C-alpha cells in the first residue's frame, strides 16, 4: 500500500456511495500493473471532489492547483521536465467548465498528459449545482425545474480539439477502465478518459436515485459498449451512455 | 525577430536595447529558462525576445491560451525546478491575480513583469500609466506579501529583472517588475556587467517544503521528479503540505509566516535613491519613468537655488516605509507625481508626518517637467 498511498493517509474524504474511491483504486491498479515509478509521476488536480483523488492520497508528486487550471499548471511542469509522467485527475466542472479553454488547448497541443476526468454530472463539493455535463432535464440546486440545456459530450469535444487517445468508461466497468488507464499510460500524447462516477449525495437524491446502489444499478443499466450500439433502435438507445475507446492514434497529419 | 546568434547569456559591455529587450536579457542572465505568456501591448516584445532567446539557449518557451494559463504554467514549471517568468500588461495582470495568490501561498518563486499601460479596463493600450501599483500589492484575496520593483531606465529593466529573480528565489515569493510603457519602449545604451550575483532556491533532501524554524522563514524547495513525493496545495497546509482546512492555528501560522518572511527582510529587499535631499525642505517622491522627469525638475530648480530633492523608489513592495518616514521628518512637504490618481501618494501619507501633495495624472501621457514645475512653484 505504502508504495502508492502516501504515509499518514488513513481515510478518503468521499461521501458514502461516491464513485471516486473505485476510480482511485482503478488508477492505482493501472499504475501498478504498468510498473510505473511513483517517483517519476506527477499528479495534477484542480478544485473539487475529484481533485482530492490524488491529493494527498497518492504517494508521488502531487500538485493541487486552482479551480480549472490543472492543465495549465501541468503544461509548465511537463514542458520543463519531460521525464515526468503527468497525470491530471479532476472533475467535469473543473476540467470542462471553468477550465474548458485549457482543456481544448492542451488537447490541441497534444501534450503527453494522462487526463482522467471524473464525471459526476454535477458540482458536488459546492452543494449540487448544475454543471456543463448535467443531463438535460436533471434537477440540481440551480435548475429546480430541470436543466434546460444540453451537456457537453466531453469525448467528442477533446477529440475535435486534437486529443490522440479518447475513452469513456464508468466506475461500474472497472476492468475495462483499468485497461484503458494502462493504455493511456503507454500512449504518447494527449490521453483523455472520461470516467462516470456516481454522486448520490448531490445528484442521485435530487433525481429519483435516492440510494447509492440505485445509482450504480442505473449506470450498469445505461452504459453500453460502442460495439453493442449497432442494431439498437432509437428507443432502445434512449438514455444510454456509450462507453468504450473512441480514438487511439498518433497524429502525424497537419490540421492546416 | 532577428537571431542574436548567441548560445549564451548576453555578453558584457555596452549594448543599445529597448527596455523590454533588456528585461528579457536580465531574465536570461538570472537563469530564467522557462517563459509562458500571452500577447499584450505594450509588453509583447519581452515575450518575442524570450521566444528567440530560449530557443537559442534550449530553454522552454510556450505561448499559452491566455494570461491565466500563462502564470499557471510558470508556477508549474517553477515546481519542476525552473526559474520561470511571464510578462504582461494591465488586463493580463488582472487575470493573473488569483494565481499570484497561489504562488504566494505555496511559496513558489516566479517573476511577473507588468509593463503598465493606461487603465482601467482596456483603457489606452498603447499609452503609458502606472495604475497597477496597488493591484500588485492587493490584487489577490487574503493577506500575503509580494516583492515589486520599479525600473526607471533600460539599464534597470535588465538589473531589476535580474534582481527580481534573485529575490524571488531567495524568499520563495512572486516578484514583480512594475515597468511602464515608457520605460518598456525606451531605447538606451546599457552596460551588461562582467560579474552578476545569482541566487538559487535552497534545497534540502527530506526537508519540510512549507515549514521552517529559521529566522527568515524561507523553507527549502525541492522539485518534482526528485523523489521527494511533494504535496503542493493552495489550501492551508502544514509543513509537509498536508491540507489543514479547519485548523485555526495552522492557518494563522502559515499566513503569518508568508507575510513575516518578507516584512522581516525589508532591509535587504527595499532600495531607494536620494538626490539632493541633504538640505531640502521640499521633496519629490517618484518611481518608474516619472522619476526621470522628477530628477530633471529637481536639478533645474536647484540651479535657481531651490532646496528641493528627490527620493526615488526602486522598490515599491514591501513599501519603503522607513525611508519615507525619515524623509517626512526632514522636509516640510512631499510631492508625489505618478501616472495614477495617487496610489503611492496614499502610502506616503501613511508614513510621512508632513504635507503630502499628490500629483497624479491619468491621461495616458508621461508627466511633463512643466506639470511638476508648475505645482512646485505655486508654493
Amino acid at each position: 500500500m505504502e508504495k502508492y498511498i502516501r504515509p499518514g493517509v488513513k481515510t478518503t474524504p468521499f461521501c458514502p456511495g461516491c464513485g471516486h474511491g473505485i476510480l482511485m483504486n482503478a488508477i492505482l491498479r493501472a499504475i501498478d500493473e504498468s510498473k510505473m515509478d511513483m517517483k517519476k509521476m506527477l499528479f495534477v488536480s484542480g478544485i473539487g471532489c475529484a481533485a482530492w483523488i490524488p491529493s494527498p492520497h497518492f504517494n508521488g508528486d502531487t500538485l493541487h492547483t486552482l479551480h480549472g487550471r490543472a492543465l495549465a499548471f501541468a503544461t509548465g511542469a511537463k514542458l520543463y521536465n519531460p521525464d515526468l509522467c503527468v497525470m491530471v485527475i479532476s472533475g467535469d466542472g473543473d476540467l470542462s467548465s471553468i477550465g474548458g479553454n485549457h482543456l481544448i488547448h492542451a488537447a490541441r497541443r497534444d501534450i503527453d498528459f494522462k487526463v482522467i476526468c471524473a464525471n459526476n454530472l454535477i458540482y458536488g463539493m459546492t452543494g449540487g449545482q448544475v454543471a456543463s455535463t448535467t443531463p438535460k432535464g436533471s434537477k440540481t440546486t440551480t435548475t429546480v425545474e430541470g436543466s434546460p440545456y444540453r451537456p457537453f459530450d466531453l469525448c467528442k469535444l477533446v477529440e475535435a480539439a486534437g486529443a490522440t487517445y479518447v475513452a469513456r468508461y464508468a466506475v461500474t466497468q472497472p476492468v475495462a477502465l483499468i485497461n484503458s488507464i494502462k493504455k493511456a499510460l503507454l500512449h504518447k500524447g494527449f490521453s483523455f478518459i472520461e470516467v462516470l462516477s456516481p454522486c448520490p449525495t448531490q445528484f442521485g437524491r435530487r433525481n429519483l436515485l435516492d440510494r447509492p446502489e440505485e445509482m450504480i444499478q442505473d449506470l450498469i443499466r445505461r452504459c453500453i459498449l460502442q460495439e453493442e450500439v449497432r442494431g439498437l433502435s432509437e428507443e432502445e438507445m434512449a438514455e444510454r451512455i456509450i462507453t468504450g475507446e473512441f480514438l487511439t492514434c498518433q497524429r502525424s497529419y497537419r490540421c492546416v | 525577430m532577428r537571431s542574436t546568434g548567441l548560445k549564451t547569456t548576453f555578453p558584457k559591455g555596452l549594448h543599445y536595447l529597448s527596455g523590454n529587450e533588456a528585461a528579457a536579457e536580465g531574465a536570461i542572465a538570472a537563469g530564467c529558462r522557462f517563459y509562458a505568456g500571452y500577447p499584450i501591448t505594450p509588453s509583447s516584445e519581452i515575450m518575442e525576445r524570450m521566444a528567440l532567446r530560449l530557443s537559442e539557449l534550449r530553454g522552454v518557451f510556450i505561448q499559452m491560451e491566455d494570461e491565466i494559463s500563462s502564470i499557471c504554467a510558470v508556477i508549474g514549471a517553477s515546481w519542476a525546478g525552473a526559474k520561470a517568468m511571464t510578462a504582461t500588461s494591465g488586463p493580463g495582470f488582472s487575470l493573473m491575480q488569483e494565481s499570484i495568490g497561489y504562488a504566494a501561498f505555496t511559496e513558489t518563486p516566479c517573476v511577473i513583469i507588468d509593463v503598465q499601460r493606461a487603465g482601467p479596463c482596456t483603457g489606452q493600450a498603447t499609452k503609458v500609466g502606472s495604475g497597477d501599483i496597488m493591484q500588485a500589492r492587493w490584487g489577490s484575496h487574503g493577506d500575503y506579501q509580494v516583492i515589486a520593483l520599479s525600473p526607471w531606465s533600460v539599464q534597470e529593466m535588465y538589473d531589476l529583472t535580474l534582481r527580481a529573480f534573485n529575490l524571488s528565489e531567495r524568499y520563495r515569493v512572486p516578484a514583480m517588475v512594475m515597468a511602464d510603457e515608457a520605460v518598456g519602449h525606451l531605447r538606451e545604451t546599457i552596460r551588461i556587467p562582467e560579474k552578476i550575483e545569482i541566487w538559487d532556491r535552497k534545497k534540502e533532501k527530506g526537508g519540510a517544503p512549507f515549514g521552517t524554524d529559521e529566522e527568515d522563514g524561507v523553507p527549502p524547495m525541492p522539485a518534482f521528479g526528485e523523489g521527494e513525493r511533494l504535496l503542493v496545495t493552495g489550501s492551508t497546509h502544514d509543513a509537509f503540505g498536508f491540507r489543514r482546512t479547519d485548523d485555526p492555528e495552522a492557518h494563522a501560522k502559515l499566513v503569518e509566516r508568508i507575510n513575516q518572511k518578507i516584512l522581516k527582510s525589508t532591509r535587504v529587499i527595499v532600495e531607494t535613491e536620494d538626490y539632493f535631499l541633504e538640505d531640502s525642505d521640499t521633496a519629490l517622491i517618484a518611481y518608474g519613468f516619472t522619476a526621470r522627469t522628477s530628477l530633471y525638475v529637481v536639478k533645474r530648480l536647484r540651479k535657481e537655488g531651490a532646496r528641493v530633492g528627490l527620493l526615488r523608489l526602486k522598490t515599491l513592495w514591501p513599501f519603503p516605509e522607513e525611508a519615507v518616514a525619515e524623509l517626512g521628518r526632514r522636509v516640510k512637504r512631499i510631492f508625489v507625481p505618478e501616472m495614477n490618481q495617487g496610489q503611492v501618494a496614499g502610502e506616503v501619507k501613511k508614513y510621512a508626518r508632513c504635507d503630502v501633495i499628490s500629483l497624479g495624472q491619468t491621461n495616458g501621457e508621461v508627466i511633463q517637467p512643466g506639470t511638476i514645475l508648475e505645482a512646485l512653484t505655486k508654493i
Side-chain angles (χ1 to χ4, degrees), chain B residues 26 76 81-82 91 113 205 225 235 247 261 264 274 283 300 308 325 359 373:
Chain B
I113 302 181
K205 207 133 186 67
S235 298
D247 177 348
K261 73 175 179 181
K264 273 189 182 168
D274 289 9
R300 193 160 142 184
V308 58
L359 300 179
L373 268 171

Side-chain angles (χ1 to χ4, degrees), chain B residues 93-108:
Chain B
F93 195 54
S94 295
L95 286 175
M96 290 181 184
Q97 292 304 323
E98 185 194 18
S99 307
I100 290 171
Y102 183 93
F105 204 44
T106 54
E107 303 179 73
T108 309

Side-chain angles (χ1 to χ4, degrees), chain A residues 6 55 59 61-62 64 109, chain B residues 65 225 229-230 232-233 243:
Chain A
R6 191 178 291 276
S55 171
N59 199 18
D61 287 322
T62 59
H64 178 228
R109 295 185 186 108
Chain B
E65 53 271 19
R229 301 172 195 267
L230 286 166
V232 184
T233 176
R243 272 194 297 281

Side-chain angles (χ1 to χ4, degrees), chain A residues 228-241:
Chain A
E228 297 164 355
V229 173
R230 265 183 77 163
L232 289 186
S233 67
E234 209 165 293
E235 205 172 87
E236 287 169 312
M237 277 304 292
E239 298 222 324
R240 293 294 185 125
I241 300 165

Side-chain angles (χ1 to χ4, degrees), chain B residues 238-304:
Chain B
D238 66 15
F240 283 92
F242 279 93
R243 272 194 297 281
R244 293 285 179 264
T245 51
D246 54 4
D247 177 348
E249 200 186 323
H251 191 69
K253 201 175 145 191
L254 181 59
V255 174
E256 185 71 8
R257 188 174 61 71
I258 64 158
N259 280 277
Q260 286 307 319
K261 73 175 179 181
I262 303 303
L263 296 176
K264 273 189 182 168
S265 304
T266 48
R267 294 228 161 127
V268 181
I269 299 166
V270 170
E271 285 185 345
T272 59
E273 275 180 3
D274 289 9
Y275 293 91
F276 311 105
L277 283 174
E278 303 79 23
D279 61 344
S280 293
D281 57 13
T282 300
L284 291 170
I285 290 183
Y287 56 94
F289 192 87
T290 307
R292 296 168 79 105
T293 318
S294 302
L295 182 58
Y296 172 82
V297 170
V298 164
K299 283 180 174 169
R300 193 160 142 184
L301 287 173
R302 278 267 153 190
K303 276 186 194 157
E304 294 165 16

Side-chain angles (χ1 to χ4, degrees), chain A:
Chain A
M1 278 279 273
E2 281 216 348
K3 195 170 169 192
Y4 299 106
I5 301 291
R6 191 178 291 276
V9 170
K10 301 266 189 304
T11 55
T12 70
F14 305 125
C15 300
C18 173
H20 291 0
I22 306 171
L23 174 55
M24 182 188 265
N25 190 327
I27 294 168
L28 291 180
R29 274 180 196 276
I31 288 172
D32 181 56
E33 288 172 20
S34 305
K35 300 195 168 30
M36 302 297 295
D37 180 1
M38 284 295 271
K39 285 185 176 177
K40 289 289 169 207
M41 292 219 56
L42 168 62
F43 300 94
V44 187
S45 59
I47 294 292
C49 301
W52 284 5
I53 291 174
S55 171
H57 310 101
F58 288 3
N59 199 18
D61 287 322
T62 59
L63 180 61
H64 178 228
T65 68
L66 292 168
H67 196 19
R69 316 298 169 209
L71 280 162
F73 281 84
T75 299
K78 177 68 182 176
L79 290 184
Y80 191 71
N81 183 355
D83 293 339
L84 294 169
C85 177
V86 180
M87 184 178 274
V88 175
I89 306 167
S90 232
D92 46 307
D94 188 77
L95 282 166
S96 78
S97 185
I98 186 168
N101 198 29
H102 310 311
L103 178 67
I104 56 172
H105 282 275
R108 172 178 67 85
R109 295 185 186 108
D110 199 18
I111 300 175
D112 189 3
F113 290 141
K114 292 57 175 98
V115 183
I116 311 278
C117 176
N119 185 358
N120 59 5
L121 313 176
I122 203 156
Y123 283 91
M125 191 177 263
T126 48
Q129 296 83 10
V130 70
S132 54
T133 46
T134 303
K136 191 171 179 178
S138 302
K139 290 191 174 153
T140 72
T141 56
T142 48
T143 54
V144 288
E145 291 175 14
S147 172
Y149 306 115
R150 287 175 303 169
F152 268 137
D153 182 330
L154 294 177
C155 289
K156 283 189 177 154
L157 179 74
V158 294
E159 185 178 334
T164 46
Y165 179 83
V166 181
R168 177 192 291 127
Y169 291 102
V171 294
T172 49
Q173 301 161 297
V175 177
L177 175 59
I178 292 167
N179 285 333
S180 178
I181 298 170
K182 283 163 74 176
K183 278 199 177 174
L185 284 168
L186 286 175
H187 182 80
K188 291 271 169 256
F190 189 88
S191 314
F192 183 87
I193 306 173
E194 177 186 352
V195 183
L196 291 154
S197 178
C199 178
T201 307
Q202 303 295 8
F203 188 88
R205 69 187 165 118
R206 294 192 177 91
N207 290 283
L208 307 171
L209 298 161
D210 283 336
R211 298 176 58 79
E213 59 267 33
E214 287 175 53
M215 283 209 85
I216 294 284
Q217 288 299 339
D218 183 62
L219 268 180
I220 291 172
R221 183 181 60 81
R222 289 171 62 196
C223 285
I224 181 169
L225 286 170
Q226 58 178 341
E227 296 81 19
E228 297 164 355
V229 173
R230 265 183 77 163
L232 289 186
S233 67
E234 209 165 293
E235 205 172 87
E236 287 169 312
M237 277 304 292
E239 298 222 324
R240 293 294 185 125
I241 300 165
I242 303 170
T243 61
E245 207 173 77
F246 303 122
L247 178 73
T248 173
C249 69
Q250 298 293 343
R251 213 162 275 235
S252 53
Y253 62 85
R254 285 160 55 136
C255 291
V256 277

